[in-house]
């Protein structure tokens, strides 16, 4: 019981800290922004009231707002807001909210809506941040909004390029290390094939687990959002209107827009998932697709330095493996540079240099070990 009471008190104090910070931001703001900060403060106070009730149920005295002693961190932030203004401190508050967005994900005594509220606060503050009004911030919102600009649209290509690069560099280093030990060609081939299979299966399995876990988390959040839309439609409508107001839409228009969206449950869920959770329900990712793509891209890259040893031996196989790897490394580096909007030649040469360094180091280690053993 002692640990439970301590946890309740910590949650209550955290929520009171949040309310204090938002009210300080409201003091240094005006108009619509001030109203938004006050609404966020009231939301934190509702959360605090929940923990105060839990403390009473546990046999403790109900904490009062005047009993609250802000944490040193909150006192510093409030002081900085009052000295520098809300606009200057919004990026700091945004980072704080993002870090605390998952605060209640593993707290069984929190109401389900509280975890969602924390994420909403992070997104609302992010929408108010002056960085979002800069040219770079506007560009970021455009990239997120236009599907053909988004990283998701080129995600498969990026995964394939980087997977092939990983396979090529890692297996090239392995093959060069075994070749440096002056082992016979068949041993180099065996090591290369073993490295290819081990790496490809590891990459595929890791990608499957990663995407599967991420998809299950996203599906859980969407399911939770659907439950809240059904159980608390008015609160969800107010939250959606608040997000639109934070983006600059006038209050009356934001409320009308939110009301129209919430009138259709399916449309409301899709919109809430995008606006509150930052998710596209149609693009949660396929675990098997990601695993197969990762396996194949790694295997293709890893096969480059191995194939010469399958058709030749000795110096001819060694030189062919080095030449083939250099050509493909240049192509991979150029492709990465193209995706990043940088000069392709520079990207290709840089990748060749990285691969050559890795191969030279392992070749030297293999030669040293081979000589010492002999």
């Amino acid at each position: 019981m002692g640990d439970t009471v301590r946890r309740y008190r910590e949650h209550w104090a955290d929520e009171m800290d949040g309310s204090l910070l938002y009210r300080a931001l409201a003091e240094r703001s005006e108009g619509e922004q001030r109203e938004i900060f006050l609404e966020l403060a009231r939301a934190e106070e509702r959360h605090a009231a929940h923990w105060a009730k839990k403390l009473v149920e546990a046999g403790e005295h109900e904490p009062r707002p005047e009993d609250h002693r802000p944490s040193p961190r909150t006192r510093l932030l409030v002081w900085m807001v009052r000295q520098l203004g809300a606009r200057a401190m919004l990026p700091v508050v945004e980072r704080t909210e993002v870090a605390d967005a998952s605060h209640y994900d593993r707290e069984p005594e929190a109401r389900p809506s509280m975890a969602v509220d924390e994420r909403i606060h992070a997104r609302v503050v992010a929408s108010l941040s002056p960085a979002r009004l800069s040219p770079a911030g506007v560009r970021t919102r455009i990239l997120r909004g236009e599907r053909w600009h988004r990283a998701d649209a080129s995600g498969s290509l990026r995964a394939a390029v980087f997977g092939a690069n990983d396979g090529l560099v890692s297996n090239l280093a392995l093959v060069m290390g075994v070749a440096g030990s002056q082992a016979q060609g068949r041993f180099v081939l065996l090591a290369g094939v073993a490295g290819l299979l081990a790496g490809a299966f590891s990459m595929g399995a890791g990608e499957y687990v990663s995407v599967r876990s991420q998809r299950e988390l996203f599906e859980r959040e969407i399911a939770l959002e659907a439950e809240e839309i059904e159980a608390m439609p008015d609160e969800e409508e107010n939250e959606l209107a608040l997000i639109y107001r934070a983006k600059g839409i006038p209050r009356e228009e934001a409320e009308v827009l939110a009301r129209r969206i919430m009138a259709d449950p399916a449309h409301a869920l899709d919109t809430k998932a995008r606006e509150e959770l930052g998710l596209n329900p149609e693009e949660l990712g396929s675990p098997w697709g990601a695993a197969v793509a990762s396996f194949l891209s790694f295997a293709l890259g890893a096969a480059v330095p191995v194939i010469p040893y399958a058709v030749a031996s000795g110096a001819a196989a060694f030189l062919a493996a080095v030449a083939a790897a250099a050509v493909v490394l240049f192509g991979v580096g150029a492709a990465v540079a193209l995706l990043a909007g940088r000069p392709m030649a520079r990207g290709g040469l840089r990748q060749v240099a990285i691969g050559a360094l890795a191969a030279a180091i392992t070749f030297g280690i293999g030669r040293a070990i081979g000589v010492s053993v002999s």
Side-chain angles (χ1 to χ4, degrees), residues 105 111-116 119 217-232 236 269 277:
D105 285 359
R111 291 197 306 268
S113 61
M114 293 169 66
V116 176
R119 289 186 172 83
L217 175 62
F218 290 164
E219 288 174 344
R220 174 183 173 277
E221 291 186 344
I222 292 175
L224 179 60
E225 192 64 46
E227 293 176 5
E228 293 187 350
I229 289 174
E230 182 178 358
M232 304 176 292
E236 293 296 300
L269 179 59
L277 306 178

Side-chain angles (χ1 to χ4, degrees), residues 133-195:
L133 303 177
S134 67
V138 172
R139 180 176 181 273
T140 299
R141 294 204 304 273
I142 292 173
L143 295 184
R144 289 178 178 172
E146 297 183 10
R147 177 184 175 87
W148 63 277
H149 276 306
R150 293 176 55 190
D152 293 346
S154 60
S156 298
L157 177 58
R158 285 178 178 270
V161 170
F162 286 110
N165 179 68
D166 289 345
L168 175 55
V169 173
S170 62
N171 221 34
L172 173 64
L174 174 62
V175 167
M176 291 297 102
V178 178
S181 68
Q182 298 182 329
Q184 296 181 15
R186 67 177 185 274
F187 294 119
V188 179
L189 176 62
L190 176 62
V193 172

Side-chain angles (χ1 to χ4, degrees), residues 6-37:
R6 178 181 54 78
R7 196 172 76 248
Y8 292 166
R9 288 194 180 279
E10 288 177 354
H11 289 325
W12 179 83
D14 288 342
E15 297 295 351
M16 293 303 297
D17 279 350
S19 172
L20 183 63
L21 178 57
Y22 281 129
R23 289 194 177 277
L25 288 166
E27 290 174 6
R28 294 302 307 271
S29 304
E30 56 186 21
E32 184 72 3
Q33 191 174 80
R34 179 178 182 277
E35 292 301 318
I36 290 173
F37 284 133

Side-chain angles (χ1 to χ4, degrees), residues 55-284:
L55 285 167
V56 172
E57 292 173 355
E60 299 291 315
H61 293 294
E62 181 177 1
R64 299 173 301 175
E66 54 267 28
D67 297 331
H68 173 58
R69 295 176 61 86
S71 67
R73 175 170 166 270
T74 300
R75 291 182 183 182
L76 176 61
L77 288 175
V78 168
W79 180 83
M80 293 178 70
V81 167
R82 289 170 177 166
Q83 299 301 314
L84 303 177
R87 182 180 178 86
M89 289 300 296
L90 266 177
V92 177
V93 178
E94 177 185 355
R95 286 193 291 272
T96 301
E97 286 291 354
V98 169
D100 293 340
S102 58
H103 183 62
Y104 288 131
D105 285 359
R106 302 190 180 209
E107 174 53 75
E109 297 298 329
R111 291 197 306 268
S113 61
M114 293 169 66
V116 176
D117 283 349
E118 295 299 329
R119 289 186 172 83
I120 293 172
H121 294 178
R123 295 182 67 80
V124 169
V125 173
S127 297
L128 292 171
S129 174
R132 303 304 175 98
L133 303 177
S134 67
V138 172
R139 180 176 181 273
T140 299
R141 294 204 304 273
I142 292 173
L143 295 184
R144 289 178 178 172
E146 297 183 10
R147 177 184 175 87
W148 63 277
H149 276 306
R150 293 176 55 190
D152 293 346
S154 60
S156 298
L157 177 58
R158 285 178 178 270
V161 170
F162 286 110
N165 179 68
D166 289 345
L168 175 55
V169 173
S170 62
N171 221 34
L172 173 64
L174 174 62
V175 167
M176 291 297 102
V178 178
S181 68
Q182 298 182 329
Q184 296 181 15
R186 67 177 185 274
F187 294 119
V188 179
L189 176 62
L190 176 62
V193 172
L196 183 156
L197 293 175
F201 276 113
S202 176
M203 288 286 291
E207 194 70 13
Y208 176 86
V209 172
S210 175
V211 175
R212 179 73 179 179
S213 300
Q214 178 178 269
R215 184 182 179 93
E216 289 175 350
L217 175 62
F218 290 164
E219 288 174 344
R220 174 183 173 277
E221 291 186 344
I222 292 175
L224 179 60
E225 192 64 46
E227 293 176 5
E228 293 187 350
I229 289 174
E230 182 178 358
M232 304 176 292
D234 292 339
E235 291 186 20
E236 293 296 300
E237 181 179 315
N238 290 337
E239 290 170 354
L240 188 58
L242 185 61
I243 290 175
Y244 287 141
R245 288 168 58 192
K247 292 183 175 182
I249 299 177
R251 179 172 190 151
E252 292 183 1
E253 294 181 21
E255 291 176 351
V256 170
L257 181 58
R259 192 177 308 117
R260 289 177 179 173
I261 291 173
M262 295 298 294
D264 181 354
H267 190 196
L269 179 59
D270 183 82
T271 303
K272 296 280 279 183
R274 296 172 191 270
E275 295 293 346
E276 290 188 7
L277 306 178
L279 301 177
N280 184 346
E282 300 175 357
E283 296 180 356
L284 298 185

